Amino acid sequence: MANESRPCPCGIGDRFDYEGCGQEVQVGHIKAYVCKPPAGTDKAVIVIHDIFGWQLPNTRYMADMLAANGYIAICPDFFAGREAWKPSDDWSKFDDWLKTRDARKISKEADAVLKYLKEQCGAKKLGVVGFCWGGVAVRHLMMTYPELKAGVSLYGLIKDSDDISNLLNPTFFIFAEKDEFIPLHQVTLLEQKLKKSCKVDFEVKIYPGQTHGFVHRRREDINPQDKPYIEEGRKDMINWLNKYI
């Protein structure tokens, strides 16, 4: 996501060479990637992609990791058929591109996904995680859908004017200390606002030395110095879901 003073969004990072264990399905008017755990479960997590879209292998890797931890994981196309951003695209056109993909205007897609999870997958306990663009979407959904019992927002862009005090259920916020798109003062302000008026459990955590996208866009095998933080971020995400779902 872009910072208000810097319109250029994040780079794609280490693109995983990853096929995925799940399958693509039609969910109402959109497509989605679904991965189910070996054993049956009524727990499901919606995985919301970043600007690079629902087909990015890195995001599918995260969905499969959640499935390996016992959740039905679904990564829908929240762009609803519109093209995802590509690293080769003209960055000067990013703002215009983003205007047609508002992370706070996804209720139609969310409704379709929730219906699918409940009716087709038998899901009764639901959560949501999102990365970058999806991190903003998580904040919106956690203030809108009471059936989402836990949310994890990973390095979603913050505006000073954002009001997220009306979270309906426990939400965990993951940020990177050296994120060039999300200044630490914005993270501090967010935490202050939550402490002042949020009525549910929340946690804001900053990971030392990390940059934007570290949990899902960094390969620990080629970033050994970051491996402990990448693994910690993923573990923290799963622990939060396990605690509240």
Side-chain angles (χ1 to χ4, degrees), residues 119-130:
E119 295 180 4
Q120 304 296 321
C121 304
K124 295 185 176 73
K125 301 165 188 168
L126 303 162
V128 60
V129 304

Side-chain angles (χ1 to χ4, degrees), residues 5 7 14 26 51 53 55 67 70 85-86 97 125-126 129 139 149 151 159 170 176 192 227 236:
S5 61
D14 307 323
Q26 191 71 34
I51 60 171
Q55 293 176 309
W85 187 258
K86 296 187 292 297
W97 175 91
K125 301 165 188 168
L126 303 162
V129 304
R139 301 202 303 257
K149 298 304 179 190
K159 292 179 182 174
Q192 287 170 352
K227 183 177 179 180
D236 288 346

Side-chain angles (χ1 to χ4, degrees), residues 101-175:
R101 293 158 181 81
D102 188 336
R104 297 167 182 83
K105 293 180 180 173
I106 54 170
S107 294
K108 186 181 176 188
E109 289 69 40
D111 289 344
V113 173
L114 290 168
K115 185 172 189 279
Y116 174 86
L117 287 173
K118 292 170 187 174
E119 295 180 4
Q120 304 296 321
C121 304
K124 295 185 176 73
K125 301 165 188 168
L126 303 162
V128 60
V129 304
F131 306 89
C132 182
W133 184 91
V136 178
V138 165
R139 301 202 303 257
H140 166 70
L141 294 183
M142 290 304 292
M143 291 190 290
T144 312
Y145 293 90
E147 62 260 60
L148 295 171
K149 298 304 179 190
V152 183
S153 172
L154 295 95
Y155 28 82
L157 174 74
I158 309 166
K159 292 179 182 174
D160 289 348
S161 59
D162 281 351
D163 179 15
I164 57 162
S165 57
N166 296 321
L167 294 169
L168 300 173
N169 279 306
T171 307
F172 183 43
F173 299 88
I174 288 177
F175 292 104

Side-chain angles (χ1 to χ4, degrees), residues 190-204:
L190 175 88
E191 189 167 23
Q192 287 170 352
K193 286 180 180 177
L194 288 167
K195 282 179 177 172
K196 185 178 175 184
S197 52
C198 186
K199 295 178 174 63
V200 298
D201 284 355
F202 69 88
E203 184 177 347
V204 176

